[in-house]
Amino acid sequence: MTTQITHPSHPPAERLAVEATGLVKQFGAARAVDGIDLQVRPGEIYGVLGPNGAGKTTMLKMLATLLPIDAGTARILGHDVQGSPHIIRQLIGVTGQYASVDENLTAAENLRLFGRLQGLSLRDARARAARLLEQFALTDAADRQIAQFSGGMRRRLDLAASLITSPPVIFLDEPTTGLDPRTRGQMWETIRGLVADGCTVLLTTQYLDEADQLADRIAVIDHGRMVAEGTPDQLKAKVGGSSLQLGVRDAGQVEEAARIAGRLIGDTAVRTPDRASFTVPLADADRAGEVLIALREVGIAVESLSVQKPTLDEVFLALTGEDTHQNSPDSSRTTGQEVA
Amino acid sequence: MTTAQIESSTTTTLPAAYDVQPRPHVGTRAAVEQTFSMAWRALMKMRRNPEQMVDVMVLPIVFTVMFTYVFGGAVSGSVGHYLPLIIPGILAQTVLTACVATGTQLREDMDKGVFDRFRSLPIARIAPLAGPMVADLVRYAIATTLTVLVGLVMGYRPGGGVLGVLGAVLLLIVTGWSMAWVFTWVGTVMKSAQSVQGISMMIMFPLTFLSNAFVPAGSMPGWLRAFVDVNPVSHVVTAARDLMNDGAVTGEVGWALLGCAAVIALFAPLSVRSYRRKL
Ligand SMILES: Nc1ncnc2c1ncn2[C@@H]1O[C@H](COP(=O)(O)OP(=O)(O)OP(=O)(O)O)[C@@H](O)[C@H]1O
Ligand SMILES: [Mg+2]
C-alpha cells in the first residue's frame, strides 16, 4: 500500500517532453534518418547539431507529424506521435527551416489567421497577434505584406506564428541560419525566454557555437545517425578546446618554432598545409603568451597568430573518428539495452 | 488519495505555459469555422492578386461573343435565335473552366511554406481544401453574372424572367462547386500545377464540347449522341435552359443536383484522404 502511494509521485523529469526510439526515415534507397534515439527533458533546450543533409529536418518533421515515421516510435509529453497526431499538433509549435507564413497576407493578418484556425475568437486572435508583434519588435511592420519583409523579420514572424497558443514543446529548424549576428543574438534571447516561460525547445543548427550558447544538451548527428550526445562541455572535452595557429616569418624556422610551442603547451604541434605555420591544441589561452615570449627569446619572428575554436568539421572528425574505431552505433545501442 | 497524487504529478510535469487539455478530435463546428478562416485567406489572396481573376472576367465575355457569332448562323439560322441555346451552354462552360483553376491554384498553394504550417496545426484536414472552394463561389458568381450580362447586351431576352435566370445561375454555381472537388482531388494527387492543368483540361474538354452546350445533340452522329446524352454536363445545360428560357423546373434539375451530390460524396473524401496521405 505504501509503495503504491509513493509510486505515482515520480520526479517531473520522468515524463519526457520528447522521446524517440529507433526513428527511421527511408527515401528510396537512402536512409535520411537511420535509427535515432532521443530523450528531451521538460524545460530544457536540446540542440541537434549536424551538417547539410544530416537528417535534422527529416527527424524534426517526423516528430512534428509532417512526415510519416517509417520505423521506430516517438512520443511527445507521453502522447504517441503516430497514434494521435491531432493531439501532438496541439502540444507543439513548429518553425520550419523555410518560412511558413502566407506571402499574400500582412504580418498581423498571418497571426490572426493562425489564431483563428486554432480556435481563438476574433477578439482574442487580434489581441494575441498584437502582443506577439510587439514581443518580436514587428509592430511597425504589422500591416505590411510579408513579401516586403527582410529575412530576419520573416524568421521572427515565423517563430511568433508558432507561439500563438503557447505550446509547451517548440521545434525550431535552424532558427538563425541566414541572420546577421545582431539578429541572431536577439533570436537566442527569445529562445531563452521561451524556456524561462516553461517551454521545452528542440532546435537544430549547423553552428557549434549556437548549440554551445543555447543548448543544455546537444546531439550531434551525421548521415542520419547520432554520433555523440552530451552537454556542451562534455562534447568540447571530447573534441578538445581551441587551438593556437602560428605562422613564422622565416619558413626555415618553422620546425624549431613548432618544437618549442609543443614543449611549452605539452601537446604535439601539427604543421599546416601552409609551409610556414603550425597548430597546437590549446586548453589554456594563457599559454599562448608563453609561446610568444619563448620564440622571441630564441629570435624567431612571428608572422601571424590566431586562437581558433573547434569548427564543426573538427567536431565531426573527432567524433566520427572515435566512433568508428571504438564501437559502432549498433554495438553501443546493445550495451545500452543491457544496462537498462 | 492515490488518484489525487497521480493528477498532481501529471500537472507538475506539464510546463507552466501549457494550460489547455488537448482534444482528441476536431468538432464539426470547429471544422466549419476553420473552413471559413481558410476561405477568408483565399479571398484576401484574390483581392491582392486581381490578375488571377482574369479567367472569370475575360473568358465569359470572349466566349459568349465568339461562340455566338461563329456558330449562331450555322446552328440556329441567326444570332438572335442562337442566344437562348448558347447562353446556358456558355454559363456551364465558364463555370467548369473556373473550377479547373481551383485545382491548379490548390496545387501551387500546397507547395508553399504556409501549407507546412497548416499541416502542423490541429485543424480539420478538410479546411485547407474546402476553404478556397468557398472563396471560389465569388469567382463563379462573377463568371455567371458577366455571361448573363453579355447575353443581355447582345439581345438575349430570357423567357424564364429574373427568377428563371437566378435559378439557372444558382444551379450552375452548385455544379461548378461540386465539380471543383474533382479538380481539388486532381490537385492533391498530381505533383505539379502544370500536370494538374493538363489532366484537368483532358477532363474538361470532352465534358463540355461533347455535350449539348453549344450544339443540339440532334445534329450529331448516333455514337456521339449516346455519349452526349449520358454526359452530366448535358443534363445541367438542359436544366439551365429550361429554367432560363421557360422558367420551368424540369426533372433535369433533379438529375443535375443528384449528379452534383454524387460527385461531392465521392471526391471530397478522396481529396481529404489523398491530402492526408501527403503528410
Ligand atoms: N522528400 C525527400 N525525398 C528524398 N530525399 C529527401 C527528401 N527530404 C530529404 N531528403 C534527403 O534526406 C537527407 C537528409 O535531409 P534533411 O533535409 O533532413 O537534412 P538536414 O540535416 O536538415 O540538412 P540541412 O542542414 O541542409 O537543412 C538528405 O540527403 C536529403 O537529400
Ligand atoms: Mg534542414
Side-chain angles (χ1 to χ4, degrees):
Chain A
M1 186 62 192
T2 350
T3 42
Q4 269 187 338
I5 291 171
T6 47
H7 198 70
S9 44
H10 291 304
E14 287 284 307
R15 189 167 168 197
L16 291 166
V18 182
E19 183 180 19
T21 341
L23 221 50
V24 169
K25 182 76 211 176
Q26 188 97 32
F27 286 124
R31 282 205 163 185
V33 173
D34 191 7
I36 284 188
D37 296 342
L38 207 65
Q39 285 98 32
V40 182
R41 299 179 199 127
E44 76 175 339
I45 301 184
Y46 191 94
V48 174
L49 180 66
N52 285 137
K56 304 183 294 292
T57 300
T58 309
M59 187 190 83
L60 224 56
K61 281 193 163 178
M62 280 195 285
L63 293 174
T65 76
L66 293 173
L67 267 181
I69 295 173
D70 287 351
T73 58
R75 302 180 81 78
I76 288 173
L77 292 169
H79 296 275
D80 184 42
V81 172
Q82 280 168 299
S84 33
H86 185 66
I87 290 187
I88 299 300
R89 293 182 189 124
Q90 293 167 70
L91 296 172
I92 59 173
V94 188
T95 303
Q97 185 169 359
Y98 306 104
S100 48
V101 284
D102 196 324
E103 299 270 331
N104 293 296
L105 301 180
T106 67
E109 284 167 351
N110 262 291
L111 296 181
R112 290 208 292 265
L113 171 67
F114 297 130
R116 289 287 287 147
L117 283 173
Q118 293 178 87
L120 298 187
S121 69
L122 196 57
R123 244 181 75 180
D124 289 351
R126 274 177 196 281
R128 188 84 183 113
R131 201 159 67 234
L132 282 167
L133 287 169
E134 196 186 314
Q135 189 185 333
F136 285 85
L138 288 168
T139 307
D140 292 340
D143 296 319
R144 269 161 58 189
Q145 254 170 277
I146 310 303
Q148 308 164 9
F149 269 38
S150 75
M153 290 162 80
R154 253 175 232 242
R155 213 75 194 106
R156 294 207 300 274
L157 180 66
D158 228 356
L159 180 54
S162 315
L163 304 178
I164 288 176
T165 53
S166 316
V169 177
I170 294 164
F171 295 157
L172 304 173
D173 198 357
E174 304 197 12
T176 66
T177 301
L179 299 188
D180 66 42
R182 194 170 58 96
T183 324
R184 199 158 166 231
Q186 286 169 354
M187 187 60 96
W188 287 356
E189 276 317 305
T190 309
I191 295 170
R192 288 191 190 109
L194 293 175
V195 176
D197 290 344
C199 295
T200 308
V201 174
L202 173 60
L203 62 86
T204 72
T205 179
Q206 297 188 31
Y207 308 119
L208 189 60
D209 66 323
E210 177 159 294
D212 186 10
Q213 287 278 333
L214 272 182
D216 298 306
R217 286 192 302 141
I218 301 174
V220 181
I221 69 169
D222 194 20
H223 295 112
R225 286 171 177 258
M226 195 184 285
V227 292
E229 191 196 28
T231 63
D233 285 339
Q234 286 169 339
L235 286 187
K236 275 189 278 183
K238 270 193 167 178
V239 181
S242 315
S243 63
L244 170 70
Q245 180 159 18
L246 209 141
V248 293
R249 194 163 295 160
D250 177 4
Q253 291 178 312
V254 70
E255 279 303 339
E256 195 192 346
R259 203 160 28 78
I260 294 170
R263 181 168 44 80
L264 276 172
I265 288 172
D267 212 322
T268 343
V270 181
R271 294 275 296 278
T272 56
D274 171 13
R275 288 214 337 282
S277 69
F278 61 88
T279 66
V280 210
L282 185 70
D284 180 1
D286 254 7
R287 292 286 178 82
E290 290 173 30
V291 174
L292 286 182
I293 294 166
L295 290 181
R296 166 164 300 174
E297 276 168 2
V298 296
I300 298 179
V302 172
E303 168 91 7
S304 67
L305 169 100
S306 64
V307 176
Q308 280 167 346
K309 289 188 174 165
T311 64
L312 190 54
D313 281 347
E314 286 163 330
V315 173
F316 279 101
L317 204 65
L319 291 173
T320 48
E322 244 180 71
D323 206 73
T324 40
H325 67 75
Q326 277 188 355
N327 49 16
S328 75
D330 283 324
S331 64
S332 70
R333 205 177 307 144
T334 337
T335 7
Q337 276 165 359
E338 277 163 10
V339 173
Chain B
M1 169 91 191
T2 324
T3 37
Q5 274 191 339
I6 292 172
E7 267 171 23
S8 75
S9 86
T10 23
T11 34
T12 47
T13 51
L14 284 175
Y18 194 61
D19 47 7
V20 192
Q21 279 304 314
R23 270 162 294 206
H25 301 290
V26 190
T28 315
R29 214 187 114 184
V32 171
E33 280 178 7
Q34 289 156 8
T35 300
F36 278 104
S37 294
M38 287 299 200
W40 173 81
R41 165 184 178 261
L43 284 174
M44 295 305 282
K45 198 174 141 204
M46 279 182 207
R47 216 177 83 184
R48 305 229 159 104
N49 303 287
E51 72 279 0
Q52 285 180 358
M53 303 289 268
V54 164
D55 59 340
V56 293
M57 297 186 129
V58 177
L59 289 189
I61 300 173
V62 172
F63 277 140
T64 312
V65 175
M66 197 174 73
F67 279 99
T68 308
Y69 286 110
V70 171
F71 294 140
V75 176
S76 304
S78 79
V79 166
H81 284 113
Y82 188 48
L83 282 169
L85 189 79
I86 186 70
I87 295 297
I90 295 271
L91 275 175
Q93 198 223 11
T94 46
V95 160
L96 289 177
T97 314
C99 71
V100 170
T102 306
T104 47
Q105 286 181 12
L106 176 74
R107 177 68 266 173
E108 269 171 20
D109 227 17
M110 279 172 66
D111 294 332
K112 289 189 189 138
V114 70
F115 254 75
D116 262 347
R117 187 175 297 281
F118 292 151
R119 288 193 189 98
S120 76
L121 293 181
I123 56 174
R125 301 291 104 175
I126 199 169
L129 307 180
M133 297 203 15
V134 172
D136 273 350
L137 290 175
V138 172
R139 291 162 48 85
Y140 303 145
I142 293 175
T144 47
T145 309
L146 278 177
T147 308
V148 171
L149 283 179
V150 172
L152 291 176
V153 168
M154 290 173 74
Y156 176 45
R157 295 293 170 263
V162 176
L163 279 184
V165 171
L166 273 181
V169 164
L170 264 181
L171 176 71
L172 284 164
I173 289 180
V174 169
T175 307
W177 199 78
S178 325
M179 287 301 288
W181 279 107
V182 177
F183 300 106
T184 292
W185 175 70
V186 174
T188 59
V189 171
M190 292 289 134
K191 284 211 167 58
S192 71
Q194 276 100 331
S195 50
V196 175
Q197 178 87 21
I199 297 274
S200 301
M201 284 305 166
M202 272 166 55
I203 301 173
M204 268 294 302
F205 271 111
L207 275 181
T208 48
F209 284 94
L210 304 185
S211 76
N212 62 359
F214 308 110
V215 178
S219 62
M220 301 173 189
W223 58 270
L224 185 56
R225 204 181 323 159
F227 178 81
V228 169
D229 284 343
V230 295
N231 184 348
V233 174
S234 301
H235 293 278
V236 173
V237 169
T238 309
R241 275 183 194 139
D242 294 342
L243 278 165
M244 291 183 94
N245 298 328
D246 310 321
V249 184
T250 55
E252 294 287 347
V253 175
W255 284 117
L257 290 178
L258 201 69
C260 291
V263 167
I264 298 178
L266 181 64
F267 284 94
L270 274 180
S271 308
V272 173
R273 222 183 67 179
S274 134
Y275 173 67
R276 200 193 293 265
R277 198 161 343 142
K278 285 246 159 77
L279 299 191

